[in-house]
Amino acid sequence: MIYSILLFVFAGLAEIGGGYLIWLWLREGKPYLWGVFGGISLALYGVIATFQSFPSFGRVYAAYGGIFIILSVLWGWGVDKKTPDFYDWLGAIICLVGVSVMLLAPRQ
């Protein structure tokens, strides 16, 4: 399970970081190489996610969506210096519960 969690975190950081680099390039006038590295990071995200051991693409990506929300809140707090409020944390917790149900529920 630790391996899966680490893959979710690495994939999330690659996606958020890549999107952020492209945001900085297009919205804040950073050099085009920021966009290039952002694109590479986004491609890396797609590759990292394929290493998950869960057999269903849809389930992995749906569960990843919940992890992405939590990482996005943390990214905004740590990088953009936007302190999450109660509802940000509540939403992130709800997403984490949903991810846990999707990945850990007993199936036949």
Side-chain angles (χ1 to χ4, degrees):
M1 185 53 87
I2 298 292
Y3 178 74
S4 290
I5 292 169
L6 287 174
L7 285 176
F8 277 125
V9 169
F10 289 142
L13 292 175
E15 184 179 13
I16 296 166
Y20 188 68
L21 289 173
I22 290 173
W23 175 283
L24 292 174
W25 166 51
L26 292 175
R27 301 266 314 241
E28 299 191 16
K30 298 294 183 185
Y32 78 95
L33 281 177
W34 290 51
V36 170
F37 288 121
I40 291 169
S41 182
L42 288 169
L44 186 60
Y45 142 73
V47 172
I48 294 169
T50 66
F51 293 117
Q52 285 289 356
S53 60
F54 302 101
S56 168
F57 172 84
R59 191 172 292 140
V60 165
Y61 271 71
Y64 166 73
I67 301 298
F68 176 83
I69 290 169
I70 294 165
L71 290 173
S72 295
V73 170
L74 293 172
W75 185 280
W77 190 16
V79 176
D80 281 339
K81 306 299 183 215
K82 305 292 183 199
T83 303
D85 64 16
F86 170 78
Y87 297 103
D88 294 325
W89 290 121
L90 179 62
I93 290 168
I94 290 169
C95 289
L96 187 58
V97 169
V99 166
S100 298
V101 169
M102 292 175 73
L103 292 181
L104 303 175
R107 293 195 166 80
Q108 297 180 16

XYZ file of all heavy atoms in Angstrom:
851
model
N 0.824 -1.193 0.000
C 0.000 0.000 0.000
C 0.870 1.259 0.000
O 0.495 2.255 -0.609
C -0.936 -0.034 1.210
C -1.920 1.104 1.219
S -2.902 1.311 -0.265
C -4.242 0.235 0.052
N 2.024 1.222 0.673
C 2.930 2.373 0.706
C 3.369 2.710 -0.718
O 3.421 3.883 -1.099
C 4.163 2.087 1.600
C 3.742 1.840 3.049
C 5.176 3.211 1.514
C 3.194 3.047 3.757
N 3.669 1.672 -1.511
C 4.086 1.877 -2.898
C 3.006 2.623 -3.682
O 3.300 3.575 -4.403
C 4.385 0.508 -3.533
C 4.785 0.562 -4.981
C 6.040 1.018 -5.354
C 3.900 0.133 -5.975
C 6.418 1.057 -6.690
C 4.277 0.176 -7.313
C 5.525 0.636 -7.657
O 5.898 0.681 -8.975
N 1.759 2.206 -3.534
C 0.658 2.864 -4.235
C 0.491 4.307 -3.797
O 0.276 5.203 -4.631
C -0.652 2.108 -4.004
O -0.629 0.881 -4.670
N 0.589 4.559 -2.511
C 0.461 5.924 -1.998
C 1.570 6.806 -2.554
O 1.324 7.932 -2.993
C 0.449 5.931 -0.457
C -0.835 5.283 0.050
C 0.586 7.352 0.092
C -0.843 4.989 1.540
N 2.794 6.286 -2.553
C 3.917 7.060 -3.099
C 3.720 7.356 -4.586
O 4.008 8.467 -5.043
C 5.235 6.326 -2.883
C 5.752 6.316 -1.440
C 6.988 5.427 -1.328
C 6.061 7.729 -0.968
N 3.211 6.376 -5.338
C 2.945 6.620 -6.753
C 1.887 7.708 -6.940
O 2.023 8.576 -7.803
C 2.503 5.335 -7.454
C 3.596 4.319 -7.744
C 2.991 3.057 -8.344
C 4.648 4.902 -8.679
N 0.837 7.668 -6.124
C -0.185 8.715 -6.202
C 0.430 10.086 -5.911
O 0.154 11.067 -6.598
C -1.322 8.446 -5.228
C -2.362 7.483 -5.729
C -2.680 6.356 -4.996
C -3.044 7.707 -6.916
C -3.644 5.468 -5.438
C -4.013 6.826 -7.373
C -4.318 5.702 -6.633
N 1.273 10.155 -4.897
C 1.889 11.437 -4.526
C 2.840 11.922 -5.624
O 2.778 13.095 -6.033
C 2.612 11.323 -3.169
C 3.472 12.548 -2.896
C 1.599 11.122 -2.041
N 3.690 11.040 -6.140
C 4.627 11.450 -7.193
C 3.879 11.871 -8.460
O 4.233 12.863 -9.100
C 5.635 10.349 -7.509
C 6.652 10.130 -6.430
C 7.075 8.847 -6.119
C 7.185 11.182 -5.713
C 8.023 8.631 -5.118
C 8.131 10.979 -4.712
C 8.546 9.702 -4.412
N 2.853 11.110 -8.819
C 2.061 11.476 -10.001
C 1.380 12.827 -9.780
O 1.356 13.675 -10.675
C 1.025 10.393 -10.297
N 0.853 13.029 -8.586
C 0.194 14.295 -8.277
C 1.140 15.475 -8.333
O 0.808 16.526 -8.889
N 2.321 15.308 -7.779
C 3.298 16.396 -7.812
C 3.750 16.690 -9.240
O 3.947 17.857 -9.606
C 4.489 16.065 -6.920
C 4.196 16.039 -5.420
C 5.417 15.573 -4.640
C 3.717 17.395 -4.931
N 3.887 15.636 -10.050
C 4.270 15.848 -11.453
C 3.172 16.603 -12.195
O 3.456 17.516 -12.974
C 4.558 14.506 -12.135
N 1.913 16.257 -11.933
C 0.821 16.937 -12.630
C 0.650 18.373 -12.146
O 0.548 19.306 -12.949
C -0.494 16.191 -12.467
C -1.589 16.862 -13.279
C -2.920 16.168 -13.182
O -3.113 15.308 -12.316
O -3.802 16.527 -13.991
N 0.609 18.554 -10.849
C 0.423 19.908 -10.317
C 1.622 20.782 -10.663
O 1.462 21.926 -11.086
C 0.180 19.859 -8.799
C -1.129 19.131 -8.505
C 0.137 21.278 -8.218
C -1.298 18.740 -7.045
N 2.820 20.239 -10.493
C 4.022 21.004 -10.833
C 4.077 21.360 -12.299
O 4.421 22.491 -12.671
N 3.718 20.421 -13.175
C 3.708 20.693 -14.601
C 2.686 21.756 -14.971
O 2.970 22.686 -15.728
N 1.497 21.620 -14.422
C 0.471 22.622 -14.674
C 0.874 23.993 -14.153
O 0.616 25.023 -14.789
N 1.528 24.001 -13.007
C 1.967 25.264 -12.412
C 3.033 25.938 -13.274
O 3.002 27.151 -13.482
C 2.494 25.004 -10.999
C 2.802 26.249 -10.214
C 1.782 27.099 -9.806
C 4.100 26.568 -9.867
C 2.060 28.246 -9.072
C 4.388 27.711 -9.125
C 3.359 28.543 -8.724
O 3.638 29.678 -8.003
N 3.980 25.151 -13.791
C 5.016 25.722 -14.668
C 4.402 26.315 -15.938
O 4.803 27.400 -16.380
C 6.061 24.665 -15.021
C 6.995 24.248 -13.891
C 7.863 23.072 -14.330
C 7.845 25.414 -13.424
N 3.428 25.621 -16.505
C 2.763 26.159 -17.693
C 1.959 27.413 -17.334
O 1.944 28.394 -18.076
C 1.887 25.077 -18.357
C 2.809 24.012 -18.981
C 0.956 25.681 -19.407
C 2.108 22.811 -19.530
N 1.312 27.407 -16.191
C 0.597 28.592 -15.696
C 1.551 29.788 -15.603
O 1.238 30.880 -16.074
C -0.002 28.272 -14.333
C -0.669 29.420 -13.632
C -0.064 30.441 -12.965
C -2.065 29.668 -13.534
N -0.989 31.305 -12.429
C -2.233 30.846 -12.770
C -3.192 29.000 -13.996
C -3.481 31.369 -12.474
C -4.436 29.527 -13.686
C -4.572 30.695 -12.943
N 2.702 29.556 -14.988
C 3.668 30.653 -14.840
C 4.156 31.158 -16.193
O 4.322 32.370 -16.392
C 4.854 30.200 -13.986
C 4.553 29.928 -12.513
C 5.781 29.343 -11.830
C 4.068 31.178 -11.801
N 4.372 30.249 -17.129
C 4.828 30.634 -18.465
C 3.766 31.466 -19.190
O 4.059 32.561 -19.674
C 5.169 29.366 -19.257
C 5.342 29.560 -20.729
C 6.129 30.491 -21.351
C 4.714 28.811 -21.763
N 6.025 30.342 -22.722
C 5.164 29.315 -22.991
C 3.827 27.737 -21.755
C 4.746 28.793 -24.212
C 3.425 27.219 -22.963
C 3.878 27.750 -24.168
N 2.537 30.974 -19.230
C 1.502 31.634 -20.021
C 0.837 32.812 -19.306
O 0.458 33.777 -19.945
C 0.429 30.622 -20.433
C 0.884 29.562 -21.434
C -0.229 28.546 -21.676
C 1.322 30.208 -22.736
N 0.701 32.726 -17.996
C -0.035 33.765 -17.280
C 0.855 34.815 -16.638
O 0.411 35.921 -16.363
C -0.906 33.130 -16.181
C -1.927 32.128 -16.654
C -3.294 32.679 -16.920
N -3.833 33.544 -15.932
C -4.934 33.333 -15.242
N -5.605 32.219 -15.413
N -5.373 34.226 -14.394
N 2.117 34.430 -16.364
C 2.975 35.366 -15.637
C 4.256 35.704 -16.397
O 5.189 36.268 -15.825
C 3.261 34.821 -14.245
C 1.958 34.655 -13.459
C 2.155 34.382 -11.990
O 3.263 34.599 -11.478
O 1.179 33.947 -11.365
N 4.302 35.336 -17.674
C 5.390 35.762 -18.532
C 6.747 35.133 -18.277
O 7.771 35.696 -18.668
N 6.769 33.968 -17.670
C 8.056 33.283 -17.480
C 8.563 32.792 -18.839
O 7.799 32.644 -19.789
C 7.903 32.106 -16.511
C 7.468 32.506 -15.110
C 8.527 33.322 -14.417
C 8.099 33.648 -12.988
N 9.023 34.528 -12.317
N 9.861 32.508 -18.949
C 10.427 32.046 -20.224
C 9.749 30.758 -20.718
O 9.257 29.954 -19.922
C 11.897 31.788 -19.894
C 12.177 32.612 -18.677
C 10.884 32.665 -17.914
N 9.757 30.552 -22.043
C 9.067 29.413 -22.643
C 9.584 28.070 -22.123
O 8.856 27.071 -22.125
C 9.153 29.464 -24.170
C 10.471 29.011 -24.734
C 10.652 27.701 -25.149
C 11.551 29.900 -24.832
C 11.863 27.282 -25.657
C 12.761 29.484 -25.337
C 12.915 28.179 -25.751
O 14.117 27.756 -26.239
N 10.839 28.035 -21.652
C 11.366 26.770 -21.120
C 10.586 26.300 -19.899
O 10.517 25.105 -19.639
C 12.850 26.905 -20.779
C 13.803 26.814 -21.969
C 15.242 27.023 -21.537
C 13.645 25.491 -22.693
N 9.994 27.233 -19.175
C 9.145 26.836 -18.058
C 7.976 26.001 -18.588
O 7.588 25.002 -17.987
C 8.647 28.053 -17.295
C 9.714 28.767 -16.527
C 10.912 29.198 -16.993
C 9.671 29.132 -15.151
N 11.623 29.822 -15.996
C 10.870 29.789 -14.855
C 8.726 28.977 -14.157
C 11.160 30.279 -13.594
C 9.011 29.477 -12.899
C 10.218 30.112 -12.619
N 7.416 26.427 -19.703
C 6.332 25.674 -20.326
C 6.790 24.327 -20.846
O 6.078 23.332 -20.730
N 7.989 24.287 -21.411
C 8.537 23.022 -21.910
C 8.706 22.040 -20.749
O 8.282 20.880 -20.830
C 9.879 23.251 -22.641
C 10.578 21.917 -22.934
C 9.667 24.053 -23.908
N 9.304 22.507 -19.658
C 9.484 21.626 -18.502
C 8.146 21.245 -17.869
O 7.972 20.134 -17.367
C 10.427 22.247 -17.477
C 11.858 22.253 -17.925
C 12.555 23.440 -18.036
C 12.506 21.082 -18.255
C 13.872 23.458 -18.463
C 13.819 21.077 -18.683
C 14.499 22.277 -18.795
N 7.197 22.158 -17.941
C 5.852 21.831 -17.469
C 5.240 20.712 -18.291
O 4.633 19.784 -17.749
N 5.409 20.775 -19.611
C 4.893 19.718 -20.476
C 5.567 18.379 -20.214
O 4.913 17.331 -20.200
N 6.863 18.411 -19.986
C 7.591 17.175 -19.655
C 7.078 16.596 -18.347
O 6.860 15.388 -18.222
C 9.113 17.447 -19.600
C 9.643 17.754 -20.996
C 9.854 16.269 -18.969
C 11.055 18.296 -21.028
N 6.858 17.459 -17.375
C 6.348 17.007 -16.085
C 4.955 16.395 -16.228
O 4.653 15.371 -15.611
C 6.323 18.181 -15.099
O 5.886 17.765 -13.835
N 4.112 17.000 -17.053
C 2.771 16.443 -17.271
C 2.835 15.081 -17.957
O 2.072 14.167 -17.619
C 1.924 17.422 -18.083
C 1.485 18.667 -17.322
C 0.880 19.693 -18.278
C 0.493 18.307 -16.225
N 3.753 14.929 -18.910
C 3.926 13.623 -19.551
C 4.431 12.594 -18.545
O 3.988 11.441 -18.538
C 4.892 13.738 -20.730
N 5.329 13.006 -17.684
C 5.851 12.119 -16.642
C 4.737 11.659 -15.703
O 4.684 10.505 -15.293
C 6.957 12.831 -15.867
C 7.710 12.019 -14.832
C 8.396 10.825 -15.478
C 8.742 12.903 -14.137
N 3.825 12.568 -15.410
C 2.671 12.206 -14.581
C 1.910 11.046 -15.212
O 1.525 10.090 -14.528
C 1.766 13.429 -14.390
C 0.301 13.131 -14.410
C -0.312 12.483 -13.341
C -0.486 13.487 -15.497
C -1.664 12.201 -13.371
C -1.832 13.215 -15.520
C -2.419 12.567 -14.464
O -3.748 12.292 -14.492
N 1.671 11.121 -16.513
C 0.950 10.051 -17.185
C 1.666 8.719 -17.115
O 1.045 7.667 -17.005
N 2.976 8.756 -17.152
C 3.770 7.526 -17.074
C 3.755 6.967 -15.656
O 3.553 5.770 -15.444
C 5.216 7.782 -17.557
C 6.101 6.577 -17.291
C 5.225 8.149 -19.037
N 3.947 7.827 -14.670
C 3.996 7.370 -13.277
C 2.709 6.637 -12.900
O 2.745 5.593 -12.247
C 4.250 8.550 -12.312
C 5.642 9.128 -12.533
C 4.071 8.116 -10.857
C 5.880 10.454 -11.814
N 1.583 7.170 -13.329
C 0.298 6.568 -12.956
C 0.153 5.138 -13.474
O -0.565 4.328 -12.873
C -0.841 7.439 -13.467
N 0.824 4.791 -14.554
C 0.708 3.434 -15.111
C 1.376 2.386 -14.228
O 1.142 1.194 -14.420
C 1.305 3.344 -16.526
O 2.717 3.545 -16.460
C 0.651 4.342 -17.453
N 2.199 2.793 -13.283
C 2.868 1.839 -12.399
C 1.984 1.368 -11.249
O 2.400 0.519 -10.456
C 4.172 2.430 -11.854
C 5.214 2.635 -12.915
C 5.673 3.906 -13.207
C 5.733 1.571 -13.621
C 6.623 4.118 -14.183
C 6.688 1.758 -14.604
C 7.140 3.040 -14.887
N 0.763 1.903 -11.140
C -0.147 1.447 -10.090
C -0.491 -0.020 -10.314
O -0.605 -0.487 -11.450
C -1.435 2.283 -10.084
C -1.280 3.655 -9.506
C -1.072 3.643 -7.994
O -1.103 2.618 -7.329
N -0.833 4.817 -7.446
N -0.679 -0.746 -9.231
C -0.975 -2.177 -9.329
C -2.464 -2.466 -9.485
O -2.842 -3.593 -9.762
C -0.438 -2.900 -8.090
O -1.044 -2.378 -6.925
N -3.309 -1.464 -9.328
C -4.747 -1.674 -9.468
C -5.067 -1.948 -10.937
O -4.537 -1.288 -11.824
C -5.520 -0.449 -8.970
C -5.231 -0.117 -7.540
C -4.358 0.916 -7.216
C -5.801 -0.846 -6.507
C -4.069 1.217 -5.899
C -5.516 -0.551 -5.188
C -4.651 0.475 -4.883
N -5.946 -2.922 -11.212
C -6.170 -3.341 -12.599
C -7.045 -2.401 -13.430
O -7.029 -2.478 -14.648
C -6.844 -4.701 -12.447
C -7.520 -4.643 -11.121
C -6.650 -3.769 -10.255
N -7.792 -1.529 -12.808
C -8.752 -0.713 -13.539
C -8.247 0.714 -13.746
O -8.020 1.446 -12.780
C -10.076 -0.675 -12.762
O -10.934 0.304 -13.293
N -8.097 1.121 -15.002
C -7.668 2.479 -15.330
C -8.617 3.498 -14.720
O -8.195 4.462 -14.081
C -7.617 2.650 -16.850
C -7.373 4.062 -17.291
C -6.082 4.557 -17.362
C -8.427 4.895 -17.631
C -5.843 5.867 -17.769
C -8.207 6.207 -18.036
C -6.913 6.687 -18.102
N -9.905 3.304 -14.911
C -10.882 4.263 -14.417
C -10.850 4.422 -12.912
O -10.926 5.535 -12.385
N -10.714 3.314 -12.215
C -10.680 3.370 -10.750
C -9.417 4.074 -10.259
O -9.462 4.877 -9.330
C -10.759 1.966 -10.175
C -10.988 1.955 -8.681
C -11.268 0.567 -8.156
N -12.555 0.111 -8.644
C -12.798 -1.127 -9.046
N -11.862 -2.039 -9.018
N -13.998 -1.464 -9.479
N -8.298 3.785 -10.892
C -7.048 4.433 -10.498
C -7.144 5.943 -10.713
O -6.789 6.732 -9.840
C -5.841 3.855 -11.274
C -4.611 4.742 -11.144
C -5.526 2.451 -10.780
N -7.647 6.359 -11.857
C -7.712 7.791 -12.143
C -8.769 8.495 -11.307
O -8.595 9.649 -10.925
C -7.904 8.037 -13.640
C -6.562 8.120 -14.329
C -5.769 7.000 -14.502
C -6.063 9.337 -14.746
C -4.535 7.080 -15.095
C -4.816 9.431 -15.339
C -4.060 8.299 -15.508
O -2.823 8.389 -16.082
N -9.863 7.809 -11.006
C -10.868 8.414 -10.128
C -10.303 8.585 -8.718
O -10.457 9.639 -8.091
C -12.129 7.548 -10.104
N -9.628 7.564 -8.232
C -9.011 7.660 -6.902
C -7.914 8.711 -6.895
O -7.784 9.492 -5.946
C -8.455 6.300 -6.490
N -7.162 8.759 -7.977
C -6.120 9.759 -8.073
C -6.703 11.173 -7.997
O -6.100 12.078 -7.431
C -5.324 9.592 -9.376
C -4.492 10.798 -9.651
C -3.353 11.051 -8.894
C -4.893 11.732 -10.577
C -2.630 12.203 -9.087
C -4.171 12.876 -10.771
C -3.038 13.116 -10.021
O -2.351 14.258 -10.197
N -7.898 11.356 -8.553
C -8.548 12.664 -8.504
C -8.713 13.167 -7.085
O -8.524 14.356 -6.793
N -9.054 12.273 -6.165
C -9.175 12.657 -4.757
C -7.835 13.046 -4.164
O -7.728 14.036 -3.425
N -6.813 12.288 -4.489
C -5.465 12.605 -4.015
C -5.012 13.944 -4.601
O -4.409 14.775 -3.921
C -4.469 11.486 -4.401
C -4.898 10.142 -3.820
C -3.047 11.860 -3.996
C -4.953 10.073 -2.319
N -5.331 14.165 -5.876
C -4.983 15.415 -6.542
C -5.589 16.609 -5.803
O -4.934 17.643 -5.639
C -5.470 15.380 -7.988
C -5.240 16.655 -8.742
C -4.018 16.923 -9.315
C -6.259 17.591 -8.879
C -3.800 18.096 -10.011
C -6.054 18.763 -9.568
C -4.819 19.019 -10.139
N -6.816 16.485 -5.355
C -7.468 17.582 -4.628
C -6.704 17.908 -3.355
O -6.426 19.076 -3.057
C -8.936 17.237 -4.334
C -9.729 17.246 -5.638
C -9.534 18.199 -3.308
C -11.117 16.666 -5.528
N -6.336 16.891 -2.606
C -5.591 17.111 -1.366
C -4.239 17.759 -1.663
O -3.843 18.737 -1.020
C -5.410 15.783 -0.605
C -6.782 15.283 -0.132
C -4.446 15.945 0.565
C -6.796 13.848 0.295
N -3.531 17.226 -2.651
C -2.232 17.796 -3.013
C -2.365 19.231 -3.521
O -1.497 20.070 -3.266
C -1.537 16.931 -4.061
C -1.032 15.574 -3.578
C -0.507 14.749 -4.747
C 0.025 15.733 -2.510
N -3.447 19.522 -4.229
C -3.666 20.883 -4.717
C -3.870 21.870 -3.580
O -3.360 22.996 -3.619
C -4.876 20.923 -5.659
O -4.631 20.175 -6.807
N -4.606 21.449 -2.558
C -4.792 22.307 -1.380
C -3.439 22.558 -0.711
O -3.100 23.701 -0.362
C -5.798 21.680 -0.385
C -5.812 22.427 0.938
C -7.199 21.655 -0.990
N -2.657 21.500 -0.568
C -1.335 21.647 0.056
C -0.402 22.490 -0.817
O 0.372 23.299 -0.295
C -0.728 20.267 0.326
C -1.449 19.436 1.386
C -0.876 18.022 1.433
C -1.378 20.096 2.745
N -0.464 22.320 -2.140
C 0.354 23.114 -3.055
C -0.002 24.594 -2.924
O 0.872 25.453 -2.830
C 0.147 22.648 -4.490
C 1.034 23.342 -5.480
C 0.844 24.590 -6.019
C 2.251 22.849 -6.039
N 1.860 24.894 -6.889
C 2.741 23.833 -6.921
C 2.964 21.664 -5.897
C 3.907 23.675 -7.651
C 4.123 21.509 -6.624
C 4.586 22.500 -7.482
N -1.287 24.879 -2.933
C -1.723 26.268 -2.791
C -1.248 26.891 -1.497
O -0.862 28.069 -1.446
N -1.250 26.105 -0.448
C -0.807 26.584 0.863
C 0.701 26.801 0.878
O 1.192 27.837 1.300
C -1.226 25.573 1.903
C -1.074 25.983 3.334
C -0.879 27.245 3.836
C -1.124 25.123 4.461
N -0.815 27.212 5.203
C -0.964 25.916 5.619
C -1.305 23.753 4.612
C -0.971 25.384 6.907
C -1.327 23.230 5.898
C -1.153 24.039 7.024
N 1.449 25.807 0.384
C 2.905 25.869 0.473
C 3.564 26.728 -0.585
O 4.531 27.434 -0.305
N 3.052 26.702 -1.812
C 3.702 27.405 -2.919
C 3.061 28.772 -3.162
O 3.760 29.769 -3.286
C 3.674 26.546 -4.208
C 4.251 27.305 -5.380
C 4.445 25.236 -3.983
N 1.740 28.808 -3.235
C 1.049 30.078 -3.500
C 0.777 30.888 -2.236
O 0.301 32.011 -2.314
C -0.274 29.831 -4.220
C -0.099 29.583 -5.695
O 0.946 29.975 -6.247
O -1.014 29.008 -6.302
N 1.053 30.290 -1.086
C 0.857 30.968 0.208
C -0.597 31.388 0.421
O -0.886 32.428 0.988
C 1.777 32.188 0.344
C 3.251 31.880 0.112
C 3.778 30.878 1.094
C 5.263 30.661 0.875
N 5.692 29.315 1.109
N -1.548 30.551 -0.032
C -2.972 30.759 0.196
C -3.423 29.759 1.251
O -3.535 28.568 0.993
C -3.787 30.550 -1.084
C -3.331 31.394 -2.254
C -3.592 32.858 -2.015
C -3.190 33.646 -3.259
N -2.977 35.023 -3.030
N -3.646 30.246 2.443
C -4.001 29.376 3.552
C -5.384 28.760 3.333
O -6.357 29.485 3.125
C -4.001 30.158 4.879
O -2.713 30.751 5.049
C -4.309 29.251 6.051
N -5.463 27.425 3.356
C -6.762 26.771 3.199
C -7.679 27.090 4.388
O -7.218 27.206 5.525
C -6.421 25.276 3.178
C -4.950 25.202 2.977
C -4.367 26.474 3.475
N -8.964 27.218 4.098
C -9.912 27.454 5.182
C -10.571 26.134 5.591
O -10.233 25.064 5.080
C -10.942 28.519 4.796
C -11.831 28.116 3.628
O -11.896 26.914 3.278
O -12.478 29.012 3.059
N -11.500 26.222 6.497
C -12.180 25.041 7.027
C -12.796 24.208 5.905
O -12.707 22.978 5.901
C -13.271 25.474 8.025
C -14.174 24.352 8.453
C -13.753 23.439 9.402
C -15.428 24.213 7.878
C -14.589 22.393 9.789
C -16.269 23.178 8.261
C -15.848 22.263 9.220
N -13.422 24.873 4.939
C -14.115 24.153 3.876
C -13.152 23.502 2.890
O -13.470 22.458 2.311
C -15.101 25.088 3.164
C -16.166 25.558 4.125
C -16.119 26.839 4.656
C -17.188 24.704 4.535
C -17.082 27.266 5.561
C -18.137 25.122 5.442
C -18.086 26.399 5.952
O -19.029 26.809 6.851
N -11.998 24.084 2.704
C -10.967 23.427 1.895
C -10.568 22.107 2.539
O -10.481 21.076 1.863
C -9.723 24.318 1.753
C -9.984 25.577 0.953
O -10.782 25.534 0.001
O -9.377 26.612 1.289
N -10.310 22.133 3.849
C -9.906 20.921 4.554
C -11.044 19.911 4.616
O -10.822 18.710 4.431
C -9.408 21.241 5.959
C -8.096 21.953 5.967
C -7.820 23.179 6.490
C -6.849 21.486 5.418
N -6.495 23.504 6.293
C -5.881 22.489 5.645
C -6.471 20.329 4.747
C -4.564 22.356 5.230
C -5.154 20.203 4.326
C -4.223 21.201 4.573
N -12.258 20.389 4.857
C -13.400 19.481 4.909
C -13.576 18.777 3.564
O -13.755 17.552 3.513
C -14.671 20.246 5.291
C -15.954 19.421 5.350
C -15.842 18.329 6.416
C -17.149 20.334 5.628
N -13.502 19.523 2.479
C -13.613 18.921 1.156
C -12.506 17.917 0.882
O -12.751 16.848 0.313
N -11.291 18.247 1.309
C -10.161 17.329 1.105
C -10.364 16.034 1.888
O -10.088 14.946 1.378
C -8.856 18.010 1.507
N -10.874 16.151 3.103
C -11.126 14.952 3.924
C -12.213 14.096 3.289
O -12.099 12.865 3.225
C -11.475 15.355 5.366
C -10.230 15.911 6.065
C -12.056 14.172 6.141
C -10.512 16.601 7.384
N -13.272 14.737 2.807
C -14.342 13.995 2.133
C -13.782 13.246 0.932
O -14.105 12.075 0.705
C -15.481 14.941 1.727
C -16.227 15.427 2.977
C -16.447 14.258 0.750
C -17.193 16.570 2.731
N -12.923 13.899 0.167
C -12.295 13.246 -0.993
C -11.434 12.067 -0.570
O -11.447 11.016 -1.214
C -11.459 14.247 -1.778
S -12.465 15.447 -2.657
N -10.695 12.227 0.510
C -9.844 11.143 0.996
C -10.686 9.938 1.420
O -10.324 8.794 1.152
C -8.964 11.629 2.149
C -7.913 10.666 2.653
C -6.962 10.269 1.535
C -7.137 11.274 3.807
N -11.810 10.186 2.062
C -12.720 9.096 2.428
C -13.225 8.402 1.159
O -13.239 7.173 1.074
C -13.891 9.620 3.291
C -14.972 8.553 3.455
C -13.384 10.078 4.647
N -13.605 9.181 0.162
C -14.072 8.602 -1.099
C -13.018 7.761 -1.782
O -13.299 6.660 -2.273
N -11.792 8.248 -1.797
C -10.680 7.495 -2.389
C -10.485 6.182 -1.636
O -10.304 5.121 -2.245
C -9.383 8.333 -2.365
C -8.167 7.475 -2.642
C -9.476 9.469 -3.360
N -10.545 6.223 -0.326
C -10.371 5.014 0.479
C -11.453 3.988 0.178
O -11.175 2.791 0.062
C -10.386 5.368 1.971
O -9.320 6.223 2.282
N -12.686 4.441 0.043
C -13.780 3.523 -0.287
C -13.537 2.880 -1.649
O -13.667 1.668 -1.811
C -15.136 4.271 -0.269
C -16.247 3.407 -0.861
C -15.485 4.698 1.153
N -13.144 3.694 -2.617
C -12.944 3.162 -3.964
C -11.813 2.141 -4.037
O -11.928 1.122 -4.715
C -12.647 4.303 -4.937
C -13.820 5.219 -5.175
S -13.391 6.601 -6.207
C -13.270 5.769 -7.777
N -10.736 2.411 -3.347
C -9.572 1.537 -3.462
C -9.574 0.360 -2.503
O -9.019 -0.692 -2.815
C -8.290 2.367 -3.250
C -7.968 3.364 -4.335
C -6.679 4.094 -3.998
C -7.848 2.693 -5.701
N -10.183 0.526 -1.350
C -10.041 -0.487 -0.306
C -11.300 -1.325 -0.074
O -11.264 -2.273 0.704
C -9.619 0.172 0.999
C -8.321 0.994 0.917
C -8.059 1.697 2.247
C -7.158 0.133 0.505
N -12.401 -1.005 -0.735
C -13.634 -1.758 -0.542
C -13.464 -3.201 -1.013
O -12.824 -3.443 -2.036
C -14.780 -1.089 -1.295
N -14.021 -4.144 -0.252
C -13.927 -5.543 -0.691
C -14.766 -5.750 -1.952
O -15.880 -5.280 -2.054
C -14.493 -6.323 0.499
C -15.330 -5.348 1.245
C -14.755 -3.992 0.996
N -14.177 -6.427 -2.890
C -14.866 -6.699 -4.161
C -14.818 -8.193 -4.443
O -13.894 -8.880 -4.044
C -14.207 -5.926 -5.289
C -14.402 -4.449 -5.130
C -14.065 -3.722 -6.427
N -14.533 -2.376 -6.406
C -13.908 -1.359 -5.789
N -12.788 -1.571 -5.139
N -14.411 -0.151 -5.829
N -15.808 -8.645 -5.178
C -15.851 -10.069 -5.514
C -15.344 -10.321 -6.903
O -15.291 -9.559 -7.751
C -17.261 -10.578 -5.395
C -17.759 -10.460 -3.978
C -19.179 -10.966 -3.838
O -19.689 -11.647 -4.689
N -19.796 -10.624 -2.735
